[in-house]
Amino acid sequence: MISLIFFVFCFFCSQFSHQALALDFCVADYAAPMSPSGHSCKDPSKVTVNDFVFSGLDVAGNSSKIFKFGFKSASDTELPGLNGLGFSLGRADFEKGAVVPIHAHPDASEISLVLDGKVTFGFIASDNTVYQKSLVKGDVFVVPQGLMHYAFNEGETPAPVIVGFSSSKPSVQLLDLALFRSNLASQVITSSTLIGAEEVKRLKAIFGGSG
Amino acid sequence: MISLIFFVFCFFCSQFSHQALALDFCVADYAAPMSPSGHSCKDPSKVTVNDFVFSGLDVAGNSSKIFKFGFKSASDTELPGLNGLGFSLGRADFEKGAVVPIHAHPDASEISLVLDGKVTFGFIASDNTVYQKSLVKGDVFVVPQGLMHYAFNEGETPAPVIVGFSSSKPSVQLLDLALFRSNLASQVITSSTLIGAEEVKRLKAIFGGSG
Amino acid sequence: MISLIFFVFCFFCSQFSHQALALDFCVADYAAPMSPSGHSCKDPSKVTVNDFVFSGLDVAGNSSKIFKFGFKSASDTELPGLNGLGFSLGRADFEKGAVVPIHAHPDASEISLVLDGKVTFGFIASDNTVYQKSLVKGDVFVVPQGLMHYAFNEGETPAPVIVGFSSSKPSVQLLDLALFRSNLASQVITSSTLIGAEEVKRLKAIFGGSG
Amino acid sequence: MISLIFFVFCFFCSQFSHQALALDFCVADYAAPMSPSGHSCKDPSKVTVNDFVFSGLDVAGNSSKIFKFGFKSASDTELPGLNGLGFSLGRADFEKGAVVPIHAHPDASEISLVLDGKVTFGFIASDNTVYQKSLVKGDVFVVPQGLMHYAFNEGETPAPVIVGFSSSKPSVQLLDLALFRSNLASQVITSSTLIGAEEVKRLKAIFGGSG
Amino acid sequence: MISLIFFVFCFFCSQFSHQALALDFCVADYAAPMSPSGHSCKDPSKVTVNDFVFSGLDVAGNSSKIFKFGFKSASDTELPGLNGLGFSLGRADFEKGAVVPIHAHPDASEISLVLDGKVTFGFIASDNTVYQKSLVKGDVFVVPQGLMHYAFNEGETPAPVIVGFSSSKPSVQLLDLALFRSNLASQVITSSTLIGAEEVKRLKAIFGGSG
Amino acid sequence: MISLIFFVFCFFCSQFSHQALALDFCVADYAAPMSPSGHSCKDPSKVTVNDFVFSGLDVAGNSSKIFKFGFKSASDTELPGLNGLGFSLGRADFEKGAVVPIHAHPDASEISLVLDGKVTFGFIASDNTVYQKSLVKGDVFVVPQGLMHYAFNEGETPAPVIVGFSSSKPSVQLLDLALFRSNLASQVITSSTLIGAEEVKRLKAIFGGSG
């Protein structure tokens, strides 16, 4: 029996030497270089189950005082086993009165599932059509890649939302921060959006922009 | 002012004729042919916000009496706006004592978020290493594409789980159903798995297989 | 010699029956369904050289009176041979004083080549860093996919610019039109951007928005 | 037991309605439109095992009298189950003295396995380095996508070769046929290759070109 | 003539400095980090023709005593020139009575060509339909990505088979080894497959599993 | 107000630590390893706007004395911000009488825009059909990936042409250089193209080939 098992072992294991583990997955090695396809792969012999586990999506992330909205991410930055898999998860929490300011994910589509409360989601297509819907518990909303979208809590209770992305580390560009927190020159903002100079000044003060 | 608006309109709208909407998204037209890249696109002029909305992920799907496990899917079959976006969502419900039988998704990685209860998740890599972890509320678990995995409720309470997939319509292959519900000849099963003939007969009776 | 040629012919031509032409290219058939991968392919026997040719990029497109900026596109809508190839070209013309309003391409990176004049280009990364540069004749500027960007003519002369995209039919989302030409409710705009209600009203009047 | 089986059935089968089969595969429907991603998918209910089977790669294809070389293809044209899978197989047969004329596959890399005989394979990289090797039975040779390559039988016996491609329907462009069998004007050939006018005339006579 | 050649040289070679070779191919550098897209590229100046050649597919690999089946691989682990090309080759040898145990390739479709003998191939789709066929010399069989499949020699003679994969380094997950050679707890196996505890014990003894 | 801004900052910036910049772009780090997906990414903190800018496409590249044709490239070798974006630009200059010798881009489709003059472009499909057209100022011509193509100035004036590619660093294989500048053995050229031995000798003298 020993030799039989030996042969079974040697027959199949011969396929599993030489970095073969990396074919099932490419756990992120944050210390090595990144490439356009993602992080370098961690040495397979050092991968553990914890590389595939993340904890804490039961608790809301820190909330913005202005928008009353918090976000917590389980992307390949927090969850190295997601590297190269092309999707990730997060949790958004809407306090009463919360608004998710208009933003876009340049490299990801988004799917949101309302766990509780009443939230309105909307996105704007490139022909300026608005696709907006009021959602309740159990409802799901899809935002195609790169399009501006927003959401707000229209109920009386907090609304937790689970969010999926079609990227292992979705990028996010917030309209207000891009314009009014950056050092984009006020005159450029005014001329390229027609938002009035006074309004730009007011918004830069709120968001901390310079320029 | 009228003509000014007219010019703005005509300048930009000239880019939005001729099926241009289909560039933001390709909502599934179930009546037209499929291609390797997914469903054909619905006529953009007939797309509504409801193509991006799905309801009912707050309620468990029908449960299997054997495995005490239910699943409800929000894939591009139920949610046409997901077509071509490469990801989807679902909801798994573990009753007390539930087991998710060993299965694989040939075309998708999976990410699971435990909403409540205590669930053990595991997957088996191609070098036969088992990556298994006991999860509680707020924990997330990643299963790389195509690998066999399983889960079971080890707590005393029902456990709802949100599941994300890196495919708009993940395929699922259940070990037991593939072997014991199909018409795969018993002798083939026995010789290609070494599971005993009597055991195969017993399992075919449970799962309804022929052959 | 005849039979020799015949054999050469039959040997190789046997590989070119049965839609084989479609492997070199997939010229757009605008009448057939689209899929997530693009337009259906035209019958190869009806493809001509004109499917690969477009004329008119020597002349500016219609210009916006507000922004003094015109654009003409050579995408797979105008040039069916581009279908499935994943890139396209266009021509932007900046009159004196022209501004390209802030916008993003949800599905394409952009590369611009200044043919004449003096144009400042800028994009904003998702960490709100502004990458801006003043360009002259012969300079090239790259904008990564999905990020907000803008440009303006800072010279005294018209500036023609050739633009390449990493999409056969790039989508474009203009900030002002998305917000102020759509029917997005003014209150939603105000709460999700903090732009004041009066300013929103003023901008909706300029761009023709409702809601 | 009946109801138990019923529940098992209904739980899982609920995932397999509505074209779900097409997720495992997309068997080519030659009558429906093609897209950049390949052929449309055949109605899954009409798919049989024969869509995944091809016969005849044990016999050589018709041979060219000039080059003493035959080829038989198992691509998605002959084997509809290959559609969308991104690879295919073929068989090349070298008679004694055979030469595979210089050609390239615009959309595929190639891997060749010599079953018998002695064959020299070579490809030319874009820096004009020649990578050439004499192969015998059991040897494998890789040609990266799109590069010109050639082979010849340097032994005394016929040499059968199995060839794999990284495309479901590899395209092939033969130098001689492109230049001397097409209707490319002789003067264009001469000026764009510097091959002498007399030589072009001679080669057009051999390959049947006009122009 | 010298200066003329010089100009030709300098004109074109200016395009081939600075790692330009890496564009034709990315030969695996096993010492450098891997990424989700594969191995790092070897310094182009050190690439030789031998990076594109592999020998020994004329001889069977070591055979399993249990299954009477051997496999030899020409993947990017053995053939560094395959790195990044997305396909590979192998050789399977069926002794008389051989069985290829049920397995799946999580990241690759498979195409098999029977060189001799009589072999039955089968795969199971995710709707539990079995696609099975008896093949002889010259027959080809396709298994779509990630689906469980098996094969057995039903003839009286050895059967060599050439196998192609749509991955440069296909992963393989064998049902028996995943369950009965791993340290997966017996109780988990029993509950997640319903295979009886005694049978699990017997199979673990055969395959050497623990847990 | 201070604390309010602080909260806004911390809420959003928490998403932008840990290499997050690399999600918007992956600027080439020429000193680090390449992968099949491109160059490694430069440390985001060292990226500047100059990584996205290239100058000099207003001036022709060095011209070949034989073909009277010059080319200047703005690929990811010259413009590190293009890394991973999948497209690039270049400039071709046709002197009077210029010919672009027959060549192919193994990994890229091409789109050409004539800025001035009169240029004929052509490509040859794999069924040996020639697609050729005489273009003037403002005309655009598409060449699908990997196909042989050529161009010549048929006018009396120089013709500058802007060229786009569907690759960040397009490879180029010139027929004449591959055959007559390499060390490909003359006998191999003769037998694999049927070009006469004398002609091969003459052409090798022109292009500097050995072998």
Side-chain angles (χ1 to χ4, degrees):
Chain A
M1 184 61 92
I2 295 300
S3 67
L4 182 148
I5 292 172
F6 177 78
F7 270 88
V8 174
F9 175 79
C10 279
F11 161 47
F12 292 118
C13 74
S14 68
Q15 302 177 28
F16 300 112
S17 56
H18 216 304
Q19 299 207 10
L21 267 178
L23 294 167
D24 288 333
F25 41 71
C26 173
V27 172
D29 176 356
Y30 301 123
M34 291 190 72
S35 77
S37 62
H39 292 277
S40 288
C41 311
K42 194 173 173 175
D43 177 350
S45 69
K46 293 181 180 162
V47 169
T48 73
V49 68
N50 293 325
D51 289 316
F52 300 99
V53 175
F54 174 78
S55 294
L57 277 198
D58 54 325
V59 180
N62 284 330
S63 191
S64 153
K65 279 209 176 167
I66 295 180
F67 292 111
K68 301 182 177 174
F69 164 73
F71 188 78
K72 188 178 275 188
S73 176
S75 75
D76 70 12
T77 302
E78 297 84 17
L79 187 43
L82 278 177
N83 185 44
L85 300 188
F87 71 156
S88 61
L89 226 56
R91 172 194 176 100
D93 282 87
F94 295 67
E95 297 174 23
K96 185 178 168 186
V99 174
V100 182
I102 289 185
H103 65 287
H105 305 290
D107 61 346
S109 299
E110 179 186 296
I111 184 167
S112 298
L113 164 63
V114 177
L115 291 186
D116 209 355
K118 192 173 178 187
V119 183
T120 291
F121 282 85
F123 73 83
I124 313 170
S126 64
D127 69 344
N128 308 317
T129 302
V130 176
Y131 293 84
Q132 181 179 306
K133 186 92 176 185
S134 175
L135 303 189
V136 294
K137 192 178 176 177
D139 289 353
V140 165
F141 189 78
V142 174
V143 178
Q145 178 173 330
L147 298 177
M148 287 188 206
H149 55 290
Y150 58 89
F152 49 91
N153 187 345
E154 53 174 334
E156 297 301 311
T157 57
V161 175
I162 300 303
V163 191
F165 298 99
S166 64
S167 162
S168 292
K169 174 64 179 154
S171 198
V172 53
Q173 182 154 55
L174 286 117
L175 174 56
D176 278 335
L177 299 195
L179 296 184
F180 307 121
R181 187 170 172 74
S182 68
N183 65 346
L184 189 58
S186 295
Q187 188 235 327
V188 170
I189 301 175
T190 299
S191 64
S192 69
T193 65
L194 303 196
I195 298 173
E198 282 306 304
E199 190 66 9
V200 168
K201 191 175 174 186
R202 188 180 69 84
L203 290 163
K204 283 201 170 185
I206 295 176
F207 291 104
S210 57
Chain B
M1 184 61 92
I2 294 299
S3 68
L4 181 148
I5 292 174
F6 176 78
F7 269 88
V8 175
F9 175 80
C10 279
F11 161 47
F12 293 117
C13 74
S14 69
Q15 301 177 29
F16 300 113
S17 56
H18 215 304
Q19 299 206 9
L21 265 178
L23 293 167
D24 288 333
F25 41 71
C26 172
V27 172
D29 176 355
Y30 300 123
M34 290 189 74
S35 78
S37 64
H39 293 277
S40 288
C41 311
K42 194 172 172 175
D43 176 350
S45 70
K46 293 181 180 162
V47 170
T48 73
V49 69
N50 292 325
D51 289 315
F52 300 98
V53 175
F54 174 78
S55 294
L57 275 199
D58 55 326
V59 181
N62 285 330
S63 190
S64 152
K65 280 209 175 166
I66 295 180
F67 293 109
K68 300 180 177 174
F69 165 72
F71 188 78
K72 187 178 273 185
S73 177
S75 74
D76 70 11
T77 302
E78 297 84 18
L79 188 43
L82 278 177
N83 186 45
L85 300 188
F87 72 155
S88 60
L89 226 55
R91 172 195 176 98
D93 282 87
F94 294 67
E95 299 175 21
K96 185 180 167 184
V99 174
V100 182
I102 289 184
H103 66 286
H105 304 289
D107 60 345
S109 298
E110 180 186 296
I111 185 167
S112 297
L113 164 63
V114 177
L115 292 186
D116 208 354
K118 191 174 178 186
V119 182
T120 292
F121 282 84
F123 72 83
I124 313 170
S126 65
D127 69 345
N128 309 316
T129 301
V130 175
Y131 294 85
Q132 180 179 306
K133 186 90 176 186
S134 175
L135 304 187
V136 295
K137 191 177 176 178
D139 289 353
V140 165
F141 189 79
V142 174
V143 178
Q145 178 172 329
L147 297 178
M148 288 190 207
H149 56 290
Y150 57 87
F152 50 89
N153 187 346
E154 51 173 334
E156 298 300 310
T157 56
V161 175
I162 300 303
V163 192
F165 298 100
S166 65
S167 162
S168 292
K169 173 65 180 154
S171 198
V172 54
Q173 181 155 55
L174 286 117
L175 173 56
D176 279 335
L177 299 196
L179 296 185
F180 307 121
R181 187 170 173 77
S182 69
N183 65 346
L184 188 59
S186 296
Q187 189 234 326
V188 170
I189 300 174
T190 300
S191 62
S192 69
T193 65
L194 302 196
I195 299 172
E198 281 307 303
E199 191 65 8
V200 168
K201 191 175 173 185
R202 188 179 70 84
L203 290 162
K204 283 202 168 181
I206 294 175
F207 291 104
S210 58
Chain C
M1 184 61 92
I2 295 300
S3 68
L4 183 147
I5 291 173
F6 177 78
F7 269 89
V8 175
F9 175 79
C10 279
F11 160 48
F12 292 117
C13 73
S14 69
Q15 302 176 29
F16 300 113
S17 55
H18 214 304
Q19 299 207 11
L21 265 178
L23 294 166
D24 287 334
F25 41 70
C26 173
V27 172
D29 176 356
Y30 301 124
M34 291 189 73
S35 77
S37 62
H39 292 277
S40 289
C41 311
K42 194 172 172 176
D43 176 350
S45 68
K46 293 180 180 163
V47 170
T48 73
V49 70
N50 292 325
D51 290 314
F52 300 97
V53 175
F54 174 78
S55 293
L57 278 198
D58 56 325
V59 180
N62 285 330
S63 191
S64 154
K65 279 209 174 167
I66 296 180
F67 293 108
K68 300 181 177 174
F69 165 72
F71 188 79
K72 188 178 275 187
S73 177
S75 74
D76 70 12
T77 302
E78 297 84 17
L79 187 42
L82 278 178
N83 186 44
L85 300 187
F87 72 156
S88 59
L89 227 56
R91 173 195 176 98
D93 282 86
F94 295 66
E95 298 174 21
K96 186 179 166 184
V99 174
V100 181
I102 288 186
H103 65 287
H105 304 289
D107 61 345
S109 299
E110 180 186 296
I111 185 167
S112 298
L113 164 62
V114 177
L115 292 185
D116 210 354
K118 191 173 178 186
V119 182
T120 291
F121 282 84
F123 72 84
I124 313 170
S126 64
D127 68 345
N128 308 317
T129 302
V130 176
Y131 294 85
Q132 181 179 307
K133 186 92 177 184
S134 175
L135 305 188
V136 295
K137 191 178 177 179
D139 290 352
V140 165
F141 189 78
V142 174
V143 178
Q145 177 172 330
L147 297 178
M148 288 188 205
H149 56 289
Y150 57 89
F152 50 90
N153 187 345
E154 51 174 335
E156 297 300 311
T157 57
V161 175
I162 300 303
V163 192
F165 298 100
S166 64
S167 162
S168 292
K169 173 64 181 155
S171 198
V172 55
Q173 181 154 56
L174 286 117
L175 174 56
D176 278 335
L177 298 196
L179 296 185
F180 307 121
R181 187 170 173 76
S182 69
N183 64 347
L184 189 58
S186 296
Q187 188 235 327
V188 170
I189 300 174
T190 300
S191 62
S192 68
T193 65
L194 303 196
I195 299 172
E198 281 307 303
E199 189 67 8
V200 169
K201 191 175 172 185
R202 189 179 69 84
L203 290 162
K204 283 201 167 183
I206 294 175
F207 291 104
S210 58
Chain D
M1 184 62 92
I2 294 301
S3 67
L4 182 148
I5 292 173
F6 176 78
F7 270 88
V8 175
F9 176 79
C10 278
F11 161 48
F12 293 117
C13 74
S14 68
Q15 302 177 27
F16 299 113
S17 55
H18 214 302
Q19 297 208 14
L21 266 177
L23 293 166
D24 288 333
F25 41 72
C26 172
V27 172
D29 176 355
Y30 300 122
M34 290 190 74
S35 77
S37 63
H39 293 277
S40 288
C41 311
K42 193 173 172 176
D43 176 350
S45 69
K46 292 181 181 163
V47 170
T48 73
V49 69
N50 292 325
D51 289 315
F52 300 98
V53 176
F54 174 77
S55 294
L57 277 199
D58 55 325
V59 181
N62 285 330
S63 191
S64 152
K65 279 210 176 167
I66 295 179
F67 293 110
K68 301 181 177 176
F69 165 73
F71 189 79
K72 187 178 276 186
S73 177
S75 74
D76 71 11
T77 302
E78 297 84 18
L79 188 41
L82 278 177
N83 185 45
L85 300 188
F87 72 155
S88 60
L89 227 55
R91 173 195 175 99
D93 282 88
F94 295 67
E95 297 174 23
K96 186 180 166 183
V99 174
V100 182
I102 289 184
H103 65 288
H105 304 290
D107 60 346
S109 298
E110 179 186 297
I111 184 166
S112 297
L113 164 63
V114 177
L115 291 185
D116 209 354
K118 192 174 178 185
V119 183
T120 291
F121 282 84
F123 73 83
I124 312 169
S126 64
D127 68 345
N128 309 316
T129 301
V130 176
Y131 293 85
Q132 181 179 306
K133 186 91 177 185
S134 175
L135 304 188
V136 295
K137 191 178 176 177
D139 290 353
V140 165
F141 189 78
V142 174
V143 178
Q145 177 172 331
L147 298 177
M148 289 189 204
H149 55 290
Y150 57 89
F152 49 90
N153 187 345
E154 51 173 335
E156 297 301 310
T157 57
V161 175
I162 300 303
V163 192
F165 299 99
S166 65
S167 161
S168 292
K169 174 64 180 156
S171 198
V172 54
Q173 181 154 56
L174 286 116
L175 173 57
D176 279 334
L177 299 196
L179 296 185
F180 308 121
R181 187 169 172 76
S182 68
N183 64 347
L184 189 58
S186 296
Q187 189 235 327
V188 170
I189 300 175
T190 299
S191 63
S192 68
T193 66
L194 303 196
I195 299 172
E198 281 307 303
E199 191 65 8
V200 168
K201 190 175 175 186
R202 189 181 68 85
L203 290 162
K204 283 201 169 183
I206 294 175
F207 291 104
S210 57
Chain E
M1 185 60 94
I2 295 299
S3 67
L4 182 148
I5 291 173
F6 177 79
F7 270 89
V8 174
F9 175 80
C10 279
F11 160 48
F12 292 115
C13 74
S14 68
Q15 302 176 27
F16 300 114
S17 56
H18 215 303
Q19 299 208 11
L21 267 179
L23 295 166
D24 287 333
F25 40 72
C26 173
V27 171
D29 176 355
Y30 301 123
M34 292 190 72
S35 77
S37 64
H39 293 277
S40 288
C41 311
K42 195 173 172 174
D43 176 350
S45 70
K46 294 180 181 165
V47 170
T48 73
V49 68
N50 292 325
D51 289 315
F52 301 98
V53 175
F54 174 78
S55 294
L57 277 198
D58 55 325
V59 181
N62 285 329
S63 190
S64 152
K65 280 210 174 164
I66 295 180
F67 293 111
K68 301 180 176 176
F69 164 73
F71 188 79
K72 187 178 274 185
S73 176
S75 74
D76 69 13
T77 301
E78 298 84 18
L79 188 42
L82 279 177
N83 185 43
L85 300 188
F87 72 155
S88 60
L89 226 56
R91 171 194 176 99
D93 282 86
F94 295 67
E95 298 174 22
K96 184 179 167 186
V99 174
V100 182
I102 289 184
H103 65 287
H105 304 291
D107 61 345
S109 299
E110 179 187 297
I111 184 166
S112 298
L113 164 62
V114 177
L115 291 185
D116 209 354
K118 190 175 179 184
V119 182
T120 291
F121 282 84
F123 73 82
I124 313 171
S126 65
D127 68 345
N128 308 317
T129 301
V130 176
Y131 294 85
Q132 181 179 304
K133 186 92 176 184
S134 175
L135 304 188
V136 295
K137 192 179 176 176
D139 289 353
V140 165
F141 189 78
V142 174
V143 178
Q145 178 173 330
L147 298 178
M148 288 189 206
H149 55 291
Y150 57 88
F152 49 91
N153 187 346
E154 54 174 333
E156 297 301 310
T157 57
V161 175
I162 300 304
V163 192
F165 298 99
S166 64
S167 163
S168 292
K169 173 64 179 155
S171 199
V172 54
Q173 182 154 56
L174 286 116
L175 173 56
D176 278 335
L177 298 196
L179 297 184
F180 307 121
R181 188 171 171 74
S182 68
N183 65 347
L184 189 58
S186 296
Q187 190 234 327
V188 170
I189 300 175
T190 299
S191 63
S192 69
T193 66
L194 302 197
I195 298 173
E198 282 306 303
E199 191 65 9
V200 168
K201 192 175 172 185
R202 189 180 68 84
L203 291 162
K204 284 201 167 182
I206 294 176
F207 290 104
S210 57
Chain F
M1 183 60 93
I2 294 300
S3 67
L4 182 147
I5 291 172
F6 177 78
F7 270 88
V8 174
F9 176 78
C10 279
F11 161 48
F12 293 117
C13 74
S14 69
Q15 302 176 29
F16 299 114
S17 57
H18 215 304
Q19 299 207 10
L21 266 177
L23 294 166
D24 287 334
F25 41 71
C26 173
V27 172
D29 175 356
Y30 301 123
M34 292 190 71
S35 76
S37 63
H39 292 277
S40 288
C41 312
K42 194 173 173 175
D43 177 350
S45 69
K46 294 181 180 162
V47 170
T48 73
V49 69
N50 292 326
D51 290 315
F52 300 98
V53 175
F54 174 79
S55 293
L57 277 198
D58 56 326
V59 180
N62 285 329
S63 190
S64 153
K65 281 211 174 166
I66 296 180
F67 293 110
K68 301 180 177 173
F69 164 74
F71 188 79
K72 188 177 275 187
S73 177
S75 74
D76 69 13
T77 301
E78 297 85 18
L79 189 41
L82 278 177
N83 186 44
L85 300 188
F87 72 155
S88 60
L89 226 56
R91 172 194 176 99
D93 282 88
F94 295 67
E95 297 175 21
K96 185 179 169 186
V99 174
V100 181
I102 289 185
H103 65 287
H105 305 290
D107 60 345
S109 298
E110 180 186 296
I111 185 166
S112 298
L113 164 63
V114 178
L115 291 185
D116 208 354
K118 191 175 179 186
V119 183
T120 292
F121 282 84
F123 72 84
I124 314 170
S126 65
D127 69 344
N128 309 317
T129 301
V130 176
Y131 294 85
Q132 182 180 304
K133 186 92 176 184
S134 176
L135 304 189
V136 295
K137 191 178 176 177
D139 289 353
V140 165
F141 189 77
V142 174
V143 178
Q145 178 173 329
L147 298 178
M148 288 188 207
H149 55 290
Y150 57 91
F152 49 91
N153 187 347
E154 53 175 333
E156 297 301 311
T157 57
V161 175
I162 300 303
V163 191
F165 298 99
S166 64
S167 162
S168 293
K169 174 65 179 156
S171 199
V172 55
Q173 182 154 56
L174 286 117
L175 174 55
D176 278 335
L177 298 196
L179 296 185
F180 307 120
R181 187 170 172 75
S182 68
N183 64 347
L184 188 59
S186 296
Q187 189 233 329
V188 170
I189 300 174
T190 301
S191 62
S192 69
T193 65
L194 303 196
I195 298 173
E198 281 306 303
E199 191 66 9
V200 168
K201 192 175 172 185
R202 188 180 69 85
L203 290 162
K204 283 201 168 183
I206 295 176
F207 291 103
S210 58

